[in-house]
Amino acid sequence: LPGENGLDILQPLKNKYSKIKVLIYSGFLTLDTISMAVAGRADGVLDKSEGVEALNDAIAVMMAEGYYYNPEIIEQLQTT
C-alpha cells in the first residue's frame, strides 16, 4: 500500500465490505494505534511479538466469536 497503512484503509474497507473480518497484526502497537483500530472497526488486534501460534489462535477465535483482543489490549483500552 504505497503511502498508506492498514489503519488508513480500514474504515473504507469495512464500509465497502461490512462482513469482512480484519485483524490488525502489527509490530508497533501503541494505545493510539489500538484506539484507531477500534475506531476503524477492526475485529481484532495482535502484536507481532506474540508469535505465529498466537496469530493462528487469534484468527481462530476471531472467526468463531467475531472478534479477538487479547487481555492486555482490553486492559489498556479500559484504563483510558
Side-chain angles (χ1 to χ4, degrees):
L1 305 170
E4 296 185 83
N5 65 46
L7 293 173
D8 292 334
I9 65 165
L10 177 58
Q11 187 75 43
L13 184 68
K14 292 293 280 189
N15 287 341
K16 187 168 183 174
Y17 305 101
S18 61
K19 293 183 180 185
I20 194 169
K21 296 291 182 194
V22 177
L23 175 70
I24 301 298
Y25 186 57
S26 175
F28 186 70
L29 285 179
T30 65
L31 189 53
D32 286 339
T33 57
I34 294 167
S35 296
M36 289 171 58
V38 170
R41 300 186 348 243
D43 300 292
V45 176
L46 182 68
D47 193 297
K48 284 183 180 178
S49 67
E50 294 187 51
V52 175
E53 187 174 327
L55 175 60
N56 289 332
D57 292 344
I59 292 168
V61 169
M62 192 174 70
M63 297 308 294
E65 297 180 17
Y67 65 93
Y68 175 84
Y69 291 93
N70 72 20
E72 291 83 17
I73 289 174
I74 291 171
E75 183 177 322
Q76 286 182 349
L77 291 171
Q78 290 175 338
T79 59
T80 60

